[in-house]
């Protein structure tokens, strides 16, 4: 029962790469165990306090970013544009609904992917599947697909520079609310959602001017700075263990690779290594739950991962699919409510709605995304619980990966800019569109 950062090693870890060079992996683990932490325990506690407000129904969680970050095309512009759409969505949610939005990126560490099959066969050749840039590379060759532990160091380094830039953007002027109009990038501004956003931004400008004119200073840090926390799926446990540090203030263990970590739908086995590892770190943590999740499983996850009923500690991220969420979620909500566990409930409307288009692209339809979020809200209304947040895959770029949206992406458009490393993401317009719809759901003004 006693926990330490290595106790997961005596359990079975699902969806792990087969590392061909164990000695090199061990050397890299030692190297990573001595590097500076990426985030601090105090920041993780701060996020936990904010998620506690979500668990009480006083705030809303916006968790968003790439399905998988890439070592290629690692540029400041892409990070800025992703931050920009997250800031826009948060402003829409907060201004329209009056509920604070807690921003958590799938960013600065989201480099590892569980896959349905451990191997892929092309023309009779079988190679390991692509498991994200933290493990191997995408091209179908033996060298590219060979799991390489040096990638763990590269993931750490890229996470550090991404986080450095995010800290600069959020604290150094870019995220100032006085610039709320300037976040509306060109290809978004021309769309109907962009126009709607521009109107809302003008109102915010007016409100800020009003505050200043009445002598109510707008010199608060909340106006000039934004707060973006980081998160990723804690899949490769050697990496997570190596970045786990004992907090000098409290003597508690924190996984300092990100503020929040989550367990995927495929690795949430109660007796598995992922649950074992994450139960011992004090960060806020999440767990995905798919359509087949039972009441017993959810209650056992709550007990294993949040035995002390600590508000803000545990987020359940349901990803049931638009068609099943209405039937499958309410019994889980009822059961958790009856135990008094103060969990945050978030809706991932992406992973239960993936299909292959007639053009052969893995895609999702924006209507299904909206339908799942709508049914998620409906389920919470019927049970009397708080629909605490959304968890979405998006990018700031003008990609064509998900169908639909008010500037409709059609199946024939998918090949135009299909750039994801893994799952199809909402583009910035679709992200903004979603934020407006969620704001309507929050205020009960949905059509
Ligand atoms: C993901 O979030 O990219 C993912 C793989 O999700 P899930 O574990 O819910 O399938
Ligand atoms: Co994904």
């Amino acid at each position: 029962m006693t926990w330490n950062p290595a106790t997961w090693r005596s359990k079975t870890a699902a969806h792990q790469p087969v590392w061909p060079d164990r000695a090199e992996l061990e050397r890299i683990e030692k190297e990573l165990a001595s590097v500076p932490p990426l985030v601090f325990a105090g920041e993780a506690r701060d996020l936990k306090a904010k998620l506690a407000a979500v668990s009480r129904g006083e705030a809303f969680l916006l968790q968003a970013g790439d399905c998988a970050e890439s070592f290629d095309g690692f540029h400041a512009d892409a990070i800025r544009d992703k931050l920009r759409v997250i800031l826009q969505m948060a402003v829409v949610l907060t201004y329209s609904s009056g509920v604070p939005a807690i921003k958590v990126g799938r960013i600065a560490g989201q480099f590892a992917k569980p896959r349905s099959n451990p191997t892929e066969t092309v023309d009779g050749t079988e190679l390991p599947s692509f498991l994200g840039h933290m493990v191997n590379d995408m091209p179908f060759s033996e060298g590219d697909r060979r799991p390489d532990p040096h990638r763990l160091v590269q993931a750490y380094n890229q996470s550090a520079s991404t986080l450095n830039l995010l800290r600069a953007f959020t604290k150094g002027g870019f995220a100032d609310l006085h610039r709320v109009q300037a976040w509306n990038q060109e290809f978004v501004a021309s769309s109907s959602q962009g126009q709607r956003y521009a109107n809302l931004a003008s109102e915010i400008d007016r409100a800020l001017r009003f505050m200043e004119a009445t002598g109510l200073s707008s010199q608060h840090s909340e106006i000039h700075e934004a707060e973006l926390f980081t998160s990723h799926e804690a899949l490769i446990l050697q990496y997570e263990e190596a970045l786990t540090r004992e907090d000098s203030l409290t003597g508690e263990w924190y996984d300092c690779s990100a503020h929040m970590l989550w367990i995927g739908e495929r690795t949430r086995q109660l007796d598995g290594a992922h649950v074992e590892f994450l139960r011992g770190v004090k960060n806020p943590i999440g767990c995905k739950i798919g359509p087949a999740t039972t009441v017993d499983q959810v209650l056992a996850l709550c007990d294993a991962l949040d035995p002390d009923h600590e508000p803000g500690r545990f987020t359940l991220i349901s990803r049931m699919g638009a068609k099943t969420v209405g039937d499958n979620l309410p019994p889980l909500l009822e059961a958790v409510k009856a135990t008094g566990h103060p969990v945050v409930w978030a809706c991932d409307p992406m992973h239960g709605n993936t299909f292959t288009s007639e053009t052969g692209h893995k895609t999702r339809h924006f209507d299904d995304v909206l339908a799942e979020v709508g049914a998620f809200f409906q389920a919470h209304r019927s049970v009397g619980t708080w629909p605490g947040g959304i968890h979405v895959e998006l990018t700031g770029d003008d990609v064509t990966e998900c169908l639909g949206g008010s500037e409709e992406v059609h199946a024939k458009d998918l090949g135009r800019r299909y750039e994801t490393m893994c799952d199809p993401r909402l583009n910035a317009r679709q992200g903004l569109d979603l934020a407006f719809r969620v704001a309507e759901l929050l205020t009960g003004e949905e059509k």
Side-chain angles (χ1 to χ4, degrees):
M1 280 304 282
T2 55
W3 182 93
N4 68 55
T7 49
W8 65 270
R9 290 174 188 266
S10 64
K11 310 270 181 171
T12 304
H15 288 271
Q16 297 303 291
V18 181
W19 300 97
D21 189 345
R22 299 295 300 190
E24 190 58 7
L25 174 64
E26 280 167 31
R27 201 191 63 68
I28 297 283
E29 285 177 56
K30 286 205 182 76
E31 182 181 331
L32 284 174
S34 64
V35 296
L38 291 171
V39 304
F40 299 108
E43 297 173 324
R45 279 194 288 273
D46 184 22
L47 173 59
K48 201 189 274 180
K50 294 195 153 69
L51 291 171
V54 178
S55 75
R56 294 190 299 269
E58 296 162 7
F60 193 76
L61 168 65
L62 171 61
Q63 193 168 13
D66 272 316
C67 179
E69 289 172 274
S70 170
F71 288 176
D72 308 324
F74 174 46
H75 301 302
D77 289 0
I79 296 168
R80 181 202 57 207
D81 292 346
K82 210 168 300 155
L83 171 65
R84 174 149 64 183
V85 67
I86 294 173
L87 292 174
Q88 282 188 286
M89 289 173 74
V91 156
V92 166
L93 286 167
T94 303
Y95 192 78
S96 309
S97 72
V99 179
I102 313 305
K103 299 177 284 296
V104 180
R106 286 177 63 115
I107 199 165
Q110 176 56 17
F111 290 107
K113 302 306 301 173
R115 303 307 292 268
S116 339
N117 295 313
T119 62
E120 189 181 340
T121 302
V122 174
D123 296 334
T125 306
E126 188 181 14
L127 292 176
S129 293
F130 171 57
L131 296 177
H133 271 166
M134 188 187 266
V135 176
N136 57 5
D137 208 350
M138 207 143 47
F140 193 78
S141 80
E142 207 172 323
D144 287 307
R145 290 293 174 90
R146 188 183 149 91
D148 176 1
H150 294 99
R151 288 178 166 272
L152 300 179
V153 178
Q154 198 175 340
Y156 166 80
N157 287 331
Q158 185 165 320
S159 298
S161 24
T162 303
L163 198 48
N164 180 52
L165 199 63
L166 288 171
R167 290 188 195 277
F169 278 138
T170 50
K171 306 293 174 203
F174 179 82
D176 192 314
L177 266 183
H178 290 91
R179 297 189 72 258
V180 69
Q181 239 357 317
W183 300 337
N184 212 4
Q185 15 167 10
E186 229 164 89
F187 81 92
V188 179
S190 56
S191 69
S192 56
Q193 298 315 317
Q195 308 261 305
R196 197 173 168 192
Y197 175 82
N199 295 340
L200 181 144
S202 305
E203 285 181 36
I204 293 175
D205 275 343
R206 254 205 316 277
L208 289 173
R209 280 203 304 277
F210 171 75
M211 275 171 61
E212 279 153 16
T214 54
L216 273 172
S217 164
S218 66
Q219 293 309 312
H220 295 284
S221 63
E222 288 81 357
I223 304 243
H224 297 287
E225 297 177 0
E227 203 157 29
L228 178 82
F229 296 95
T230 60
S231 70
H232 61 260
E233 178 175 349
L235 183 67
I236 307 298
L237 294 173
Q238 288 88 352
Y239 179 82
E240 305 302 337
E241 178 189 335
L243 283 163
T244 295
R245 306 280 187 271
E246 194 172 2
D247 176 31
S248 53
L249 272 179
T250 60
E252 295 171 333
W253 293 95
Y254 282 84
D255 182 344
C256 296
S257 71
H259 299 111
M260 178 180 183
L261 289 311
W262 78 84
I263 305 178
E265 162 73 355
R266 295 166 188 78
T267 51
R268 60 175 173 78
Q269 299 78 16
L270 272 168
D271 55 354
H274 294 84
V275 168
E276 173 60 22
F277 175 74
L278 282 168
R279 80 178 173 92
V281 296
K282 291 293 173 188
N283 307 56
I285 57 171
C287 183
K288 297 282 200 88
I289 48 172
T293 314
T294 64
V295 162
D296 287 351
Q297 286 172 351
V298 166
L299 296 183
L301 284 166
C302 288
D303 285 339
L305 295 166
D306 179 31
D308 301 328
H309 291 212
E310 187 190 358
R313 155 71 173 172
F314 191 39
T315 298
L316 279 162
I317 307 161
S318 79
R319 31 86 86 221
M320 308 257 165
K323 290 197 178 66
T324 38
V325 63
D327 290 333
N328 295 14
L329 186 58
L332 306 182
L333 300 180
E334 296 275 11
V336 175
K337 185 182 171 193
T339 66
H341 258 107
V343 302
V344 169
W345 285 102
C347 173
D348 166 356
M350 314 295 292
H351 289 89
N353 295 312
T354 315
F355 64 95
T356 304
S357 73
E358 65 256 33
T359 53
H361 294 91
K362 193 170 160 191
T363 189
R364 292 154 175 163
H365 202 292
F366 190 69
D367 290 347
D368 295 334
V369 170
L370 285 186
E372 178 152 1
V373 175
F376 172 82
F377 269 77
Q378 181 57 41
H380 282 279
R381 293 235 164 94
S382 69
V383 176
T385 41
W386 175 242
I390 52 169
H391 178 121
V392 290
E393 291 181 340
L394 57 72
T395 167
D397 301 331
D398 189 12
V399 299
T400 54
E401 298 170 5
C402 290
L403 297 166
S406 39
E407 310 290 307
E408 199 164 346
V409 174
H410 299 279
K412 65 174 170 37
D413 306 321
L414 287 175
R416 195 159 50 81
R417 283 198 68 181
Y418 193 94
E419 298 173 1
T420 183
M421 291 284 291
C422 192
D423 291 337
R425 304 159 297 174
L426 302 176
N427 63 33
R429 281 193 292 253
Q430 292 167 326
L432 201 53
D433 204 345
L434 177 64
F436 277 112
R437 311 285 185 112
V438 172
E440 284 162 6
L441 287 165
L442 278 168
T443 53
E445 287 164 13
E446 73 272 18
K447 286 149 208 123

